[in-house]
Amino acid sequence: MPHFPMDSPDSVRSLPARRSVLGAMAATAASPALLGLSSPASAASAASAASAAPVAQPRALPGGGDLGPNVIVFDPSTSGIQAKLDEMFRQQESAQFGTGRYALLFKPGTYNGLNAQLGFYTSIAGLGLSPDDTAINGDVTVDAGWFNGNATQNFWRSAENLALTPVSGTNRWAVAQAAPFRRMHVRGGLNLAPTGYGWASGGYIADSRIDGSVGPYSQQQWYTRDSSVGGWANAVWNMVFSGVQGAPAQSFPNPPYTTLDTTPVSREKPFLYLNGSEYRVFLPERRTNARGTTWGSGTPRGTSLPLTQFYVARPGVTAATLNAALTQGLHLLLTPGIYHLDQPIQVDRAGTVVLGLGYATLIPDNGVTALRTADVDGVRLAGFLIDAGPVNSSTLLEVGPTGASASHSANPTTVQDVFIRIGGAGAGKATTSMVINSRHTIIDHTWVWRADHGTGVGWETNRADYGIRVNGDDVLATGLFVEHFNKYDVQWYGQRGRTIFFQNEKAYDAPNQAAIQNGNVRGYAAYKVADSVTTHEGWGLGSYCYYNVDPTIVQHNGFAAPNTLGVKFHDLLVVSLGGQGQYEHVVNETGAPTSGTSTVPSTVVSYP
């Protein structure tokens, strides 16, 4: 995503090139053995099933087991931690489309003098029940030196469940999409911009406490949910808050703060932790009208599962084995790495957890759907990446089958930090990336991306017509990032849907006006609510265009919806990035057109 510095402490800069022009560095990962990194042993493994019958029965798959070589576990007595962190960063810093996947886990305790710089496909997390159980007197840093101070490509990395006391008083977290900051306690301030305050385009914070002020500076947009902040310094185009103590007051568009006092429904992401020497997975409970963190006063509320109830998957395992584990009643823990699938992972049991570590990546090789769920209660999908394969998939992720209608209001399915990519790491195609059929599903932070740079990128090379399609009723999206699809980025057919924060760019590479013509309409809206919908609501939604192949392209609007009182939008904006294409309206026929090269948003505060 190109970025245009606004409200930066530095002087105004010249117009940047799109991130694909600046180039994407890739590196092939070295093995952990070359880094001198050790792998942990897990809690236990379950016994194999015995067969007493004359006919041999298949052996049961074991639960638990070793977490593999790409999960690196530290404790306060580990020697040379900083050197190991530095070596990992050198390997992953510019490996945007590399194959390395790593999780850095810190046992409860206190660590002094560390600076964990995070590169691509690197997750860092504490192993306590509370962030304050794992204290780092130091920093967890994301900066953009690898990309000449431009943070718009700092994707696919995460920090969770740690307490930081930054050396300078302020921690730097200059990220773009797919880089969640969850369940963190910063005993100081948080700077969301790169050194030099260059271009930046993020981001997402949830269930975190920032004792000092958050300074977004050059960040174009940001969403913060169910957290506490000591202050918020500025806004560029679109800063959205729900359930955040200390958030600035509602004031869109000047400054562009969209503030909801609470989040209607939320349930935090599952996480791995240690109970003594035993690994367990904590499942936070559902909250309604939430405000503030889940962990600020005593033991967090929820349930816990031992690792022995999970099939601990390693790269190279087949989809058939993953499905056998699910059929057996195990949950899935996907250790870091790349998993090639020749059939869908099928989740049929209520309450199943599929949790990825270190950006575990699923690739459907032969045009199948990577993962499907049945229409059941309480499935939790979290922490993995789906990469489209070279053979077109009709869908990549399906939550519930077509026609799903059961109510899941008391125990919804959650899709959290599940990211989808078409192209970039290689040619890939998919007609529709994510389909939500089950009612009451919560999509809590996703980036669904048709690549605009990397390998295998082109209008037809990584063809992907639709990003997300919501068919189920009562679906809530909190933190929705969807970019660059050939047609609609989001299509919403379900009733009573809600979205809090949406970030979008239309496809850069449309060759001409005819290529995006939608009947009599010029261009496909970024966010389309179907004509049959009578109730829908959205807060803090933005769409940008950068038609650099043909800058004369006109996009009729960013948002399209039935013109009815039950369909409501709050705080919308569209932006032409440097005049590369223009919007005629914001939503339907409402909102002023963009014009010129000034990159000034056109806004609508309330619709209808």
Side-chain angles (χ1 to χ4, degrees):
M1 164 179 298
H3 174 77
F4 299 82
M6 307 280 182
D7 298 341
S8 168
D10 290 353
S11 59
V12 176
R13 292 165 176 76
S14 60
L15 188 71
R18 58 187 285 237
R19 53 192 179 206
S20 60
V21 170
L22 292 170
M25 303 181 192
T28 302
S31 70
L34 296 178
L35 303 175
L37 303 176
S38 60
S39 62
S42 74
S45 63
S48 298
S51 174
V55 178
Q57 300 295 315
R59 291 173 61 86
L61 292 164
D66 190 274
L67 296 179
N70 296 334
V71 177
I72 317 302
V73 179
F74 303 100
D75 66 45
S77 66
T78 302
S79 62
I81 295 176
Q82 186 63 55
K84 294 174 183 179
L85 294 173
D86 290 346
E87 184 66 22
M88 179 66 69
F89 178 62
R90 282 192 292 270
Q91 176 183 307
Q92 295 300 115
E93 179 183 11
S94 59
Q96 181 170 178
F97 298 111
T99 57
R101 304 285 188 275
Y102 297 98
L104 310 178
L105 305 182
F106 285 74
K107 293 182 180 181
T110 300
Y111 301 79
N112 293 313
L114 297 183
N115 181 17
Q117 299 181 82
L118 298 187
F120 286 98
Y121 313 109
T122 306
S123 297
I124 189 170
L127 286 170
L129 259 183
S130 165
D132 289 335
D133 294 340
T134 310
I136 294 179
N137 292 319
D139 297 76
V140 172
T141 302
V142 178
D143 207 342
W146 75 278
F147 205 45
N148 301 314
N150 179 347
T152 62
Q153 291 184 28
N154 281 347
F155 314 135
W156 305 306
R157 64 200 76 195
S158 66
E160 299 185 48
N161 206 29
L162 294 166
L164 307 178
T165 303
V167 170
S168 70
T170 300
N171 190 76
R172 187 181 302 279
W173 186 255
V175 298
Q177 289 79 4
F181 196 80
R182 287 186 180 269
R183 199 178 175 76
M184 295 288 287
H185 183 189
V186 181
R187 295 166 174 158
L190 188 64
N191 184 340
L192 304 179
T195 299
Y197 301 94
W199 308 308
S201 178
Y204 176 90
I205 294 171
D207 199 25
S208 293
R209 175 179 169 184
I210 317 301
D211 292 345
S213 183
V214 178
Y217 303 115
S218 55
Q219 284 284 355
Q220 291 168 337
Q221 72 281 312
W222 200 275
Y223 175 53
T224 307
R225 177 181 65 72
D226 297 359
S227 293
S228 173
V229 299
W232 195 272
N234 71 294
V236 177
W237 292 338
N238 192 26
M239 301 285 159
V240 180
F241 309 84
S242 68
V244 178
Q245 297 166 339
Q250 169 71 33
S251 58
F252 187 92
N254 188 26
Y257 294 132
T258 298
T259 303
L260 286 72
D261 190 58
T262 62
T263 304
V265 187
S266 56
R267 187 173 68 192
E268 298 306 326
K269 176 178 173 284
F271 62 91
L272 191 68
Y273 74 103
L274 277 172
N275 180 27
S277 61
E278 177 195 20
Y279 284 104
R280 299 181 69 90
V281 173
F282 193 80
L283 307 178
E285 72 174 12
R286 170 181 166 271
R287 298 201 292 171
T288 57
N289 299 316
R291 181 172 171 82
T293 67
T294 64
W295 49 267
S297 54
T299 303
R301 299 176 65 89
T303 57
S304 176
L305 297 173
L307 196 65
T308 52
Q309 293 185 22
F310 285 77
Y311 178 71
V312 179
R314 299 274 202 98
V317 70
T318 65
T321 299
L322 296 173
N323 283 327
L326 291 168
T327 300
Q328 188 178 307
L330 294 171
H331 306 275
L332 295 182
L333 185 72
L334 304 173
T335 64
I338 296 175
Y339 297 76
H340 288 271
L341 307 175
D342 61 0
Q343 60 180 272
I345 299 171
Q346 183 66 47
V347 178
D348 290 329
R349 190 179 74 256
T352 298
V353 179
V354 180
L355 176 62
L357 300 179
Y359 286 83
T361 301
L362 308 177
I363 301 178
D365 289 325
N366 56 347
V368 299
T369 298
L371 190 148
R372 289 186 174 124
T373 78
D375 192 25
V376 294
D377 273 357
V379 173
R380 303 182 194 227
L381 308 177
F384 55 91
L385 171 65
I386 298 175
D387 219 346
V391 179
N392 185 74
S393 294
S394 60
T395 59
L396 292 171
L397 174 67
E398 293 181 14
V399 177
T402 301
S405 60
S407 174
H408 305 293
S409 59
N411 191 9
T413 286
T414 44
V415 181
Q416 299 178 285
D417 300 348
V418 173
F419 308 117
I420 293 177
R421 178 173 69 193
I422 303 96
K429 293 185 178 183
T431 304
T432 305
S433 293
M434 182 185 297
V435 178
I436 307 296
N437 293 316
S438 287
R439 293 181 61 192
H440 300 101
T441 297
I442 300 172
I443 309 167
D444 177 44
H445 188 228
T446 188
W447 184 38
V448 182
W449 184 55
R450 175 182 167 265
D452 62 282
H453 64 270
T455 302
V457 172
W459 185 249
E460 296 296 342
T461 305
N462 62 329
R463 181 84 194 187
D465 282 351
Y466 308 109
I468 294 180
R469 178 171 178 148
V470 179
N471 296 318
D473 294 340
D474 307 293
V475 171
L476 171 66
T478 51
L480 193 60
F481 298 74
V482 189
E483 294 189 301
H484 304 309
F485 285 84
N486 294 78
K487 294 185 179 179
Y488 291 119
D489 298 275
V490 173
Q491 297 171 288
W492 208 296
Y493 290 86
Q495 297 288 353
R496 297 175 299 280
R498 291 173 292 182
T499 295
I500 303 172
F501 182 87
F502 171 67
Q503 184 266 325
N504 166 263
E505 283 183 347
K506 295 303 299 174
Y508 293 165
D509 56 344
N512 49 51
Q513 188 77 51
I516 62 164
Q517 193 68 17
N518 181 16
N520 295 323
V521 179
R522 296 204 278 186
Y524 291 81
Y527 189 107
K528 166 66 174 175
V529 181
D531 293 344
S532 58
V533 172
T534 58
T535 306
H536 186 91
E537 197 158 9
W539 297 261
L541 314 182
S543 177
Y544 320 149
C545 74
Y546 188 73
Y547 288 120
N548 68 314
V549 174
D550 181 358
T552 68
I553 289 176
V554 174
Q555 176 80 27
H556 184 66
N557 51 32
F559 304 90
N563 187 11
T564 178
L565 291 178
V567 176
K568 303 175 183 178
F569 291 105
H570 314 273
D571 302 355
L572 302 177
L573 70 139
V574 296
V575 182
S576 167
L577 302 179
Q580 304 294 296
Q582 301 290 346
Y583 290 90
E584 291 180 308
H585 302 286
V586 179
V587 52
N588 291 350
E589 309 302 316
T590 299
T594 58
S595 62
T597 61
S598 58
T599 315
V600 174
S602 178
T603 62
V604 168
V605 173
S606 181
Y607 182 88

